[in-house]
Amino acid sequence: MATDLTHAQLLTGGEAIVEAMCQIDPDVVPVYPITPQTPIIQGYAKAIADGRAHGEMVNVESEHSAMSAAIAAAVAGARTMTATSSQGLALMAEVVYIAASMRAPVVMTLGNRALSGPINIHCDHSDSMLIRDSGAIQLFAESAQEAYDLTVLAPRLAEHPDVLLPVIVCVDGFTLTHSAEPVELLDGELVRDFVGEYRIPHPLLDLAAPTTQGPFAMPDYYFELRRQQAAAIDGALVLFEELGEELGDLTGRRVGALDRYRLEGARRALVCLGSTAGTAKDVVDELRHEGEQVGLLRVCSYRPFPAAEVREALASVDEVIVLDRADSPGGAPALAVEVAYAAGPVRSHVYGLGGRDLHPADLREVFAGTAGRYVGLRSEPCPA
Amino acid sequence: MATDLTHAQLLTGGEAIVEAMCQIDPDVVPVYPITPQTPIIQGYAKAIADGRAHGEMVNVESEHSAMSAAIAAAVAGARTMTATSSQGLALMAEVVYIAASMRAPVVMTLGNRALSGPINIHCDHSDSMLIRDSGAIQLFAESAQEAYDLTVLAPRLAEHPDVLLPVIVCVDGFTLTHSAEPVELLDGELVRDFVGEYRIPHPLLDLAAPTTQGPFAMPDYYFELRRQQAAAIDGALVLFEELGEELGDLTGRRVGALDRYRLEGARRALVCLGSTAGTAKDVVDELRHEGEQVGLLRVCSYRPFPAAEVREALASVDEVIVLDRADSPGGAPALAVEVAYAAGPVRSHVYGLGGRDLHPADLREVFAGTAGRYVGLRSEPCPA
Amino acid sequence: MSRLKTLVREEHGTPPLRGGHSLCQGCGIPMVVRTVLDSIEGPKVVVSATGCLEVATTRFPTTAWNVPWLHLAFENAAAGASGVEAAYRALRRRGGLPQDDELTIVAFAGDGGTYDIGLQALSGALERRHKFVFVCYDNEAYMNTGIQRSGATPFGAATTTSPAGAASFGKVQQRKDLTAIAAAHGIPYVAQSAAGPHWHDLSVKAARAAKADGPAFLNALADCPLGWGHEARLSPSIVDGAVESCFWPLYEVVDGAWRLTYRPAEKQPVEQWLRSQKRFAHLFSPAAAETLEEIQRRVDADWDALVARCGG
Amino acid sequence: MSRLKTLVREEHGTPPLRGGHSLCQGCGIPMVVRTVLDSIEGPKVVVSATGCLEVATTRFPTTAWNVPWLHLAFENAAAGASGVEAAYRALRRRGGLPQDDELTIVAFAGDGGTYDIGLQALSGALERRHKFVFVCYDNEAYMNTGIQRSGATPFGAATTTSPAGAASFGKVQQRKDLTAIAAAHGIPYVAQSAAGPHWHDLSVKAARAAKADGPAFLNALADCPLGWGHEARLSPSIVDGAVESCFWPLYEVVDGAWRLTYRPAEKQPVEQWLRSQKRFAHLFSPAAAETLEEIQRRVDADWDALVARCGG
Amino acid sequence: MGGLKTLKTWPELEPGGVVLRDEAVQPATGGWRTGLRPDADLELCVDCLLCWLYCPDSAVRLDGTAFAGFDLDHCKGCELCAEVCPTGAIEMVPDGD
Amino acid sequence: MGGLKTLKTWPELEPGGVVLRDEAVQPATGGWRTGLRPDADLELCVDCLLCWLYCPDSAVRLDGTAFAGFDLDHCKGCELCAEVCPTGAIEMVPDGD
Amino acid sequence: MKEIRWHARAGQGAKTAAQLLAVALLREGKSVQAFPEYGPERRGSPMRAYTRYDGRPIRRRDSIEEPDAVVVLEPSLARGAEVTAGLAPGGLLLVNSAEPIAGAVCVPAGRIAPDAVNLVMLGALAACLGEPSLEGLAAAAAEVLGRKADPARLAAALEAGHRAAREERWAA
Amino acid sequence: MKEIRWHARAGQGAKTAAQLLAVALLREGKSVQAFPEYGPERRGSPMRAYTRYDGRPIRRRDSIEEPDAVVVLEPSLARGAEVTAGLAPGGLLLVNSAEPIAGAVCVPAGRIAPDAVNLVMLGALAACLGEPSLEGLAAAAAEVLGRKADPARLAAALEAGHRAAREERWAA
Ligand SMILES: Cc1ncc(C[n+]2csc(CCOP(=O)(O)OP(=O)(O)O)c2C)c(N)n1
Ligand SMILES: Cc1ncc(C[n+]2csc(CCOP(=O)(O)OP(=O)(O)O)c2C)c(N)n1
Ligand code: SF4
Ligand code: SF4
Ligand code: SF4
Ligand code: SF4
Ligand code: SF4
Ligand code: SF4
Ligand SMILES: [Mg+2]
Ligand SMILES: [Mg+2]
């Protein structure tokens, strides 16, 4: 942190996101409560009650309806935001795919939380991974500050005419949503200017030019429409970097697809998502200090996944170590396989499910190669 | 086909599965209709109406309830089967995870169909891929015959005390569910003996030993319970092979985790799931005949994924080519990354979305390296 | 002007749903759709649930819809309508849309998308009091997927998931009374109607629904020749049979007040109506005589209860 | 024997729900759960929806349940109960279970898991006529996640998603009348009751529900001191206030016949009841006077309609 | 599906598969008729428009509020119009004619 | 979470996390009391059992159908029993005593 | 390998005919597949079904785009470009039609047996292909439809078609 | 880096105290984090909150298991093993208690200001840690709670705690 934070506010990630929502001031916000997303929707409800926000908050009866109403509002012509977690995301999974395929630029906060069962309210990334094929953009925040920055950026990315896709800002449940940290907010006016007006090519409510939205497609066209969608998300990568720079000019901070931390000359590199990167940076510093050539690659843009950049970032590394905060029972973990595909042989670990913590000591073992496949689990034998 | 099929029956995959269901005669069958699963549930309903099956068919009001009722029945102590497709699977996704984590040995047919949007009723594997982290076992059939064989085998695998997981038999929609092929059925008595009695360690309806099923787990135990589940599905791999042999002794046919087709001395190998393998085998034969050293690895057990066996099967191959029948917009396709992780650098193609056909000519191009990333798509440029 | 002519005028040459779709010959759905939409003045936006109507009218890249039309999935027509309505309110408030000409949002779903998988989204939207008209075209089964039983399928009807056979007599449960369920939500307008010869009733109700100060629910019986098993050209008389036998009464509930909108001169025996449709054919075996009586008894009881509710 | 003593006897020393759970001090849910279960004779299996009751009684590896208990998720208690019931029927038929001692399957869900996200599964289970008792413990908000508004939250109540503030007066919609909605399903037994001083009414109804020939639905008001904003020890008087003001009438619907089971000697003004809870505190500002009147008007109208429905 | 190649490619499609009413071409469904088509005797017609109201395929043409024949490109030959015509003005006749 | 290491490992758990009632240990919640605990004057008690009925923590002990004191390991001190006792037999007293 | 495409309207029995052909060939030792094509169209709309058979095991599961023979059950469909699409120049076009059609073998199945057009055309097809045997077809029909219909009548329809095609081919 | 753990009952203001400490330290140029711990327990149950601060940027986001100081707002919790778990031998244990407890610094916050136990203990903690300044704490309290409470009263509670702890430490 190069900047002086003395005058920053102490905000939880949830509170910081509420501030961003008030500044963006979306038209429609359909939501259904679930821990750890609740501070966000409650904060937003309070902001409306206090006259600080002016959207239509639609308190739906389930997350399936939350996303359905969000898609409808977005394609109707209204800027739309929502938020959820875990079971909520699972229940709306069907419609998240539909949001992406209908090119509805809905912005959603995901307070990452473990999927049931057993039921658990704490952080892991299994919810994000469930919808990794949905076509929605997923950006992982490392800090409350970044949660704010990404939320401010999200509408621009979502609504760009070449993108028109849902953008999900993934924020580690509790670790970020409920922890207070110093956060610098932009001036509200500045945010409004940055975000601009909501514009989509064919609003349903354009009564003068009737459209049919959500048609049935047979094998003669389905593939083409899916391909178009894939092109849109692939194109979002460059755009994200550009918007990151544009926003960076306002904030003095940088957000981007990858966060390369001390990878110069690194012989071993860790790859991970989200708030764990902060802890990992500390460990990298320590090990570097001890003379070990290690580094970290944090993936912020998990979808679209910057495969070429990952390959290049890891090109001169001897060993790539991927940390997944979600398991794929009977298969290999999601981030690990993605990186393997991008960069060659990797070692994989699973950690942190259901809110289990990851400690510096664990990470030392990971780097040393003495950790089991499941880091933080009791009595997991070391690899042979 | 070594056997003489003259006396086989001409059955669609759907009909063959109905025959298997009548022979297994499950206790409870909660279902909700969706194309292309409908022939299965209609056939089963007719079988009950005709007195050929005796289960409780529960015509629920949505797929979320279908899987919920199925889990409840299975943990209560009743053998339970169900079936779905596409949006149905998406709507029940939340509870498929819960089925696996509660170790409910539900057997389900999945008539593979593309996920919306756009809405489409034809085959691809996006529905299977949506739940690839759920912890449920997924076995892909190549033919109607194999759909029958796997359905007969499924309860044994699901209910094995070391497994206790849902088993999903994946059957390509229309291509297998609605196409008639020769199918040899086992004698009903034989199937009943093979399948045996339903037994689980702690049935909810054991009133003498009250249990609490589906508890809340904090970070102190969640990870352990997930790890246990991962061990169960990993262990299912060997068991599947063993059961495949046991069933093979009755049928004279073989089912197993991998189907290695002319891989001896192959320099290039294709990897895929499901009915496409049949077409690919024809092409392999043709190319071999033309002197090309090619082979095919069909993955039947997609979950658990036989990573070590895949690695070994592809060890001496120069080029591995993976065909995915589902796209991961903004990421790499699911089977490709899985194989990459298992076996080193691969080339990937996406084909067949929304029922688009794959022709021998396409496959020649794939082998030749002249196909685009999306095979079968109009005007997809060739790789540079 | 006669009501029918006002419908014609509302279309001004452009039917909201045009020909070229792939619904069956003689399908009863389009008449419901056009009668409802033509009876509502001003601009309209349609939201559809998955089902025959949706699948058969929007095969990409074609469309049979002349009005703005939205489909998301099977279970969420009411949620989609909620989103459109919220967007409309927000944009109007911000001055982003024309301020005259009140827009009407009409959702169409089959019985499956209303009684069963779409009920929760509907109930939530009614509770939140979004201003929209939800129309269930009730053809008493999941037709799009091949005639499976739904919560609306009548007792005794054979469907592909409640087939008649040696060990069964068709559906074993009574149908859900969805109109009453909607009425229990305390919304300003609820009505039950039918297409065919009762188009006038349907038209009047659609107009009232659109003018209600909040959500309105219309349950319209729509004939499905394929699923019910009869010749397409007999549709009008078969829909009529449902009404004249009091199997499907026509009534409305305005701000909680129940009112019959049609009372058959003479109640027809339900057997007559059943006999006209193959889905009930198995009930005319001697073994099923009791089932037939049971059906008549239930129709009578329900009718009496309804009449009482409507003030006798 | 007095009814209370029969409850004691049904427990024979082992309460279905034991101490050691982590529900709030003075939470109103356990009394509903124990009164219902103790009033039903014979073996019972419980299915719970996600919510305070579930989360706070089953932290792995502990359990507060002495009866077999199942939880799947938030929205599917009724679907889970359907599955258990189907399994029970199938196994009994096959001789796989004892043939005496009819088992009762009881589902518990909060208002969120009943009025809102669990409504569809409930409605479907009622339509299919599974034999089970569904009990909604209605504390009028999503309490487990921190007091968000639900379909059951009364008009005007402040919750964290319908807060009171400069630009708002709490929830703007009326509550869904779920008991009436359940009754519209035409099931054999539906009742509305409350814990606290009306435990006797609840107990009698639970026993009747279990004996019904098909599905039964019980809607029991359960106090939440945290969410309603009052001292725990005042719960009995506050639940009583809801009943005595006719905000929460006690009645039952047996095979379609509506009957009041309690009629307050003198209807208390609802204001008194509202005043006892922080969630309504903002209504006692001068600016909200109209809202208060509106609430009283609505309570009166609903009560009159109910009395009429119950035959005056 | 040999004809597939002549259809539009993905960059040519509207985002999300939105169909613009003004550009969409409706398929002809006249080919669904199985030998019979409706034919009206204008002498008998009283412009009640019941045929218009009932036609599931919006295949009855109007001229203002007067009956103006059938759109045989879309008429599927269901016979409903003939059934409901109060004056018997509509008859089903062999399609070739 | 230093104490985590002493808890069971995954092979020791029942499949699916099923909790066997007969083996489960219930946590003590007596520590939730904030200074006051219920205390009964048996002289005044008429065994009406309303305290038993109302107690959210099943913390009223019975002997057959007679009141038999409190389970202070689980009583959270909510005061409901004292509130509903018709004879005033129950009083909240400082917890230390 | 031989591939047949059937054109009809939904409900006219093309799916059944495609399957009966497959059963009869199966009993003669052939490897077979039979499948219809599905879309959002309903009762009354044109539809297609397919039969594929070979002396060697069939494993491919792609669709049929260049059939060896096309059979049209519904006369009104016979003149569309759809029916000849993909049909090789020398390929067989067999139509239910009382009138002759250029390039097609026409059998007046609607006149021969209005209730069993599909069987008549199936018999005719067998005659044109030279396989399967009439007896085999009759047995297949009895096996599949026997519970619903009189086997003798089924056989008669098949035979009538067989004969008509033989005569027509002679004539041509 | 310094790590503080707060013990209290839900509703006693530990979360607020943890945050106020963080705000005051932030204003003095420190890097800070403040977070509570969440579980299925409800009103009345024991809970914990945490504050972490450092002169250098804090990036780690793991939980705090070996705090440098433990503050107990609820006297009845003071004797449980939970409060000392992970506390290093020389670590600070600061308890709201009118009675002395071995090894602990005790401040009778409940007696000093029953409505503001958390602020009294926060003041006391600052005295023990030597940071942040009382003025800084008062400013933080005014910033965070100023709209709901009288800043002067907040400052008074903080100060009373500060003084009490200073006296107690002298005495010890
Ligand atoms: C979640 C989900 N489940 C199932 C389906 C399959 N499905 C599509 S339409 C339909 C039936 C529709 O029935 P109804 O609503 O009555 O409309 P109808 O077809 O009768 O017009 C079904 C079961 C689906 N599309 N989505
Ligand atoms: C699909 C889904 N959405 C949201 C949640 C989060 N959630 C769990 S319990 C609950 C509220 C429960 O409210 P209610 O049913 O009234 O029970 P109560 O908490 O009041 O006892 C919510 C919103 C969830 N678990 N699953
Ligand atoms: S199946 Fe029935 S409802 Fe569907 S299009 Fe055909 S006639 Fe209409
Ligand atoms: S929040 Fe309310 S309902 Fe939940 S445990 Fe506490 S008192 Fe009971
Ligand atoms: S026959 Fe049917 S489709 Fe044709 S015009 Fe008449 S009503 Fe319309
Ligand atoms: S129904 Fe007959 S009379 Fe009426 S407009 Fe049509 S053709 Fe003319
Ligand atoms: S104080 Fe509360 S918890 Fe304790 S015994 Fe009395 S009622 Fe039960
Ligand atoms: S409430 Fe009072 S009188 Fe009744 S049993 Fe309890 S202590 Fe005795
Ligand atoms: Mg229907
Ligand atoms: Mg509640």
Side-chain angles (χ1 to χ4, degrees), chain F residues 40-42 44-52 60 62 66-67 70 81-82 84-90:
Chain F
D41 180 346
L42 290 178
L44 289 176
C45 172
V46 295
D47 288 331
C48 69
L49 303 194
L50 284 172
C51 53
W52 171 85
V60 172
L62 300 185
F67 172 83
F70 300 101
C81 51
V84 300
C85 176
T87 66
I90 304 179

Short mmCIF file of all heavy atoms in Angstrom, two decimals, chain F residues 40-42 44-52 60 62 66-67 70 81-82 84-90, ligand 8:
data_model
loop_
_atom_site.label_atom_id
_atom_site.label_comp_id
_atom_site.label_asym_id
_atom_site.label_seq_id
_atom_site.Cartn_x
_atom_site.Cartn_y
_atom_site.Cartn_z
N ALA F 40 -36.83 -22.53 42.21
CA ALA F 40 -38.24 -22.82 42.50
C ALA F 40 -38.45 -23.05 43.99
O ALA F 40 -37.63 -23.69 44.65
CB ALA F 40 -38.70 -24.03 41.71
N ASP F 41 -39.54 -22.54 44.47
CA ASP F 41 -39.96 -22.80 45.85
C ASP F 41 -40.96 -23.93 45.79
O ASP F 41 -42.12 -23.75 45.42
CB ASP F 41 -40.58 -21.52 46.40
CG ASP F 41 -41.04 -21.70 47.85
OD1 ASP F 41 -41.10 -22.87 48.29
OD2 ASP F 41 -41.32 -20.68 48.49
N LEU F 42 -40.52 -25.13 46.15
CA LEU F 42 -41.37 -26.31 45.95
C LEU F 42 -42.65 -26.23 46.78
O LEU F 42 -43.67 -26.84 46.45
CB LEU F 42 -40.59 -27.59 46.28
CG LEU F 42 -39.50 -27.92 45.26
CD1 LEU F 42 -38.72 -29.16 45.65
CD2 LEU F 42 -40.10 -28.12 43.88
N LEU F 44 -44.54 -23.78 46.96
CA LEU F 44 -45.58 -23.07 46.18
C LEU F 44 -45.97 -23.82 44.91
O LEU F 44 -47.03 -23.58 44.34
CB LEU F 44 -45.05 -21.67 45.79
CG LEU F 44 -44.94 -20.67 46.94
CD1 LEU F 44 -44.33 -19.36 46.43
CD2 LEU F 44 -46.32 -20.40 47.51
N CYS F 45 -45.12 -24.70 44.48
CA CYS F 45 -45.35 -25.37 43.20
C CYS F 45 -46.58 -26.27 43.25
O CYS F 45 -46.79 -26.99 44.23
CB CYS F 45 -44.11 -26.21 42.84
SG CYS F 45 -44.39 -27.26 41.41
N VAL F 46 -47.40 -26.19 42.21
CA VAL F 46 -48.61 -27.02 42.17
C VAL F 46 -48.52 -28.04 41.03
O VAL F 46 -49.53 -28.61 40.61
CB VAL F 46 -49.87 -26.15 42.01
CG1 VAL F 46 -50.05 -25.27 43.24
CG2 VAL F 46 -49.78 -25.30 40.75
N ASP F 47 -47.33 -28.22 40.50
CA ASP F 47 -47.10 -29.22 39.44
C ASP F 47 -47.99 -29.01 38.22
O ASP F 47 -48.45 -29.97 37.59
CB ASP F 47 -47.29 -30.64 39.99
CG ASP F 47 -46.14 -31.05 40.90
OD1 ASP F 47 -45.01 -30.54 40.69
OD2 ASP F 47 -46.38 -31.84 41.83
N CYS F 48 -48.19 -27.78 37.89
CA CYS F 48 -49.03 -27.51 36.71
C CYS F 48 -48.25 -27.78 35.42
O CYS F 48 -48.81 -28.00 34.36
CB CYS F 48 -49.50 -26.06 36.72
SG CYS F 48 -48.15 -24.89 36.43
N LEU F 49 -46.92 -27.69 35.53
CA LEU F 49 -45.99 -27.99 34.43
C LEU F 49 -45.98 -26.97 33.31
O LEU F 49 -45.45 -27.24 32.22
CB LEU F 49 -46.22 -29.40 33.88
CG LEU F 49 -46.11 -30.52 34.92
CD1 LEU F 49 -46.02 -31.86 34.22
CD2 LEU F 49 -44.94 -30.31 35.84
N LEU F 50 -46.55 -25.81 33.59
CA LEU F 50 -46.46 -24.77 32.55
C LEU F 50 -45.01 -24.38 32.31
O LEU F 50 -44.61 -24.09 31.18
CB LEU F 50 -47.28 -23.55 32.96
CG LEU F 50 -48.79 -23.74 32.79
CD1 LEU F 50 -49.55 -22.55 33.39
CD2 LEU F 50 -49.13 -23.89 31.30
N CYS F 51 -44.21 -24.39 33.34
CA CYS F 51 -42.80 -24.04 33.15
C CYS F 51 -42.14 -25.05 32.20
O CYS F 51 -41.37 -24.69 31.32
CB CYS F 51 -42.06 -24.02 34.50
SG CYS F 51 -42.26 -25.52 35.47
N TRP F 52 -42.50 -26.30 32.40
CA TRP F 52 -41.97 -27.38 31.53
C TRP F 52 -42.39 -27.14 30.07
O TRP F 52 -41.62 -27.28 29.14
CB TRP F 52 -42.51 -28.72 32.04
CG TRP F 52 -42.24 -29.88 31.15
CD1 TRP F 52 -41.12 -30.65 31.11
CD2 TRP F 52 -43.13 -30.41 30.16
NE1 TRP F 52 -41.24 -31.63 30.18
CE2 TRP F 52 -42.47 -31.51 29.56
CE3 TRP F 52 -44.42 -30.07 29.72
CZ2 TRP F 52 -43.05 -32.27 28.55
CZ3 TRP F 52 -44.99 -30.84 28.72
CH2 TRP F 52 -44.31 -31.92 28.15
N VAL F 60 -36.51 -27.94 32.21
CA VAL F 60 -37.28 -28.19 33.43
C VAL F 60 -37.34 -29.70 33.62
O VAL F 60 -37.79 -30.43 32.71
CB VAL F 60 -38.69 -27.58 33.34
CG1 VAL F 60 -39.53 -28.02 34.53
CG2 VAL F 60 -38.59 -26.06 33.28
N LEU F 62 -38.54 -33.24 35.27
CA LEU F 62 -39.77 -33.80 35.83
C LEU F 62 -39.44 -35.11 36.55
O LEU F 62 -38.47 -35.79 36.24
CB LEU F 62 -40.80 -34.10 34.74
CG LEU F 62 -41.29 -32.92 33.89
CD1 LEU F 62 -42.39 -33.40 32.97
CD2 LEU F 62 -41.77 -31.79 34.79
N ALA F 66 -44.43 -34.70 38.00
CA ALA F 66 -44.19 -33.67 39.01
C ALA F 66 -42.96 -32.85 38.66
O ALA F 66 -41.98 -33.37 38.12
CB ALA F 66 -44.01 -34.32 40.38
N PHE F 67 -43.04 -31.57 38.95
CA PHE F 67 -41.91 -30.67 38.74
C PHE F 67 -40.72 -31.13 39.58
O PHE F 67 -40.88 -31.49 40.74
CB PHE F 67 -42.33 -29.26 39.14
CG PHE F 67 -41.19 -28.28 39.14
CD1 PHE F 67 -40.78 -27.67 37.96
CD2 PHE F 67 -40.53 -27.95 40.33
CE1 PHE F 67 -39.73 -26.76 37.97
CE2 PHE F 67 -39.47 -27.05 40.34
CZ PHE F 67 -39.08 -26.46 39.16
N PHE F 70 -34.48 -27.73 37.87
CA PHE F 70 -33.96 -27.23 36.59
C PHE F 70 -32.67 -27.93 36.18
O PHE F 70 -31.88 -28.33 37.02
CB PHE F 70 -33.72 -25.72 36.69
CG PHE F 70 -34.97 -24.96 37.01
CD1 PHE F 70 -35.21 -24.52 38.32
CD2 PHE F 70 -35.91 -24.70 36.03
CE1 PHE F 70 -36.37 -23.83 38.62
CE2 PHE F 70 -37.07 -24.01 36.34
CZ PHE F 70 -37.30 -23.58 37.63
N CYS F 81 -39.98 -19.32 32.43
CA CYS F 81 -40.62 -20.18 33.43
C CYS F 81 -41.15 -19.33 34.58
O CYS F 81 -42.28 -19.52 35.03
CB CYS F 81 -39.66 -21.26 33.92
SG CYS F 81 -38.05 -20.62 34.44
N ALA F 82 -40.30 -18.39 35.00
CA ALA F 82 -40.73 -17.53 36.11
C ALA F 82 -41.96 -16.72 35.70
O ALA F 82 -42.90 -16.53 36.48
CB ALA F 82 -39.59 -16.61 36.52
N VAL F 84 -44.32 -17.48 33.54
CA VAL F 84 -45.59 -18.20 33.36
C VAL F 84 -46.02 -18.99 34.60
O VAL F 84 -47.14 -19.49 34.63
CB VAL F 84 -45.53 -19.17 32.15
CG1 VAL F 84 -45.24 -18.41 30.86
CG2 VAL F 84 -44.52 -20.29 32.38
N CYS F 85 -45.15 -19.11 35.57
CA CYS F 85 -45.54 -19.89 36.75
C CYS F 85 -46.74 -19.23 37.42
O CYS F 85 -46.67 -18.07 37.82
CB CYS F 85 -44.37 -19.98 37.74
SG CYS F 85 -44.85 -20.83 39.25
N PRO F 86 -47.85 -19.93 37.55
CA PRO F 86 -49.08 -19.30 38.03
C PRO F 86 -49.04 -19.00 39.53
O PRO F 86 -49.84 -18.21 40.02
CB PRO F 86 -50.17 -20.33 37.71
CG PRO F 86 -49.46 -21.64 37.66
CD PRO F 86 -48.06 -21.35 37.20
N THR F 87 -48.14 -19.63 40.25
CA THR F 87 -48.14 -19.44 41.70
C THR F 87 -46.95 -18.62 42.18
O THR F 87 -46.74 -18.47 43.37
CB THR F 87 -48.08 -20.81 42.42
OG1 THR F 87 -46.80 -21.42 42.12
CG2 THR F 87 -49.20 -21.72 41.97
N GLY F 88 -46.15 -18.16 41.24
CA GLY F 88 -44.97 -17.41 41.64
C GLY F 88 -43.93 -18.29 42.30
O GLY F 88 -43.07 -17.80 43.06
N ALA F 89 -43.97 -19.56 42.04
CA ALA F 89 -43.01 -20.46 42.68
C ALA F 89 -41.59 -20.26 42.16
O ALA F 89 -40.62 -20.59 42.83
CB ALA F 89 -43.44 -21.92 42.48
N ILE F 90 -41.50 -19.75 40.94
CA ILE F 90 -40.17 -19.60 40.35
C ILE F 90 -39.71 -18.15 40.45
O ILE F 90 -40.44 -17.22 40.11
CB ILE F 90 -40.16 -20.07 38.89
CG1 ILE F 90 -40.65 -21.51 38.79
CG2 ILE F 90 -38.74 -19.94 38.30
CD1 ILE F 90 -40.71 -22.05 37.39
S1 SF4 I 8 -44.98 -23.45 36.57
FE1 SF4 I 8 -44.66 -23.12 38.74
S2 SF4 I 8 -46.33 -24.24 39.69
FE2 SF4 I 8 -46.23 -24.95 37.58
S3 SF4 I 8 -44.91 -26.73 37.67
FE3 SF4 I 8 -43.61 -25.02 37.20
S4 SF4 I 8 -42.86 -24.31 39.22
FE4 SF4 I 8 -44.61 -25.62 39.58
#
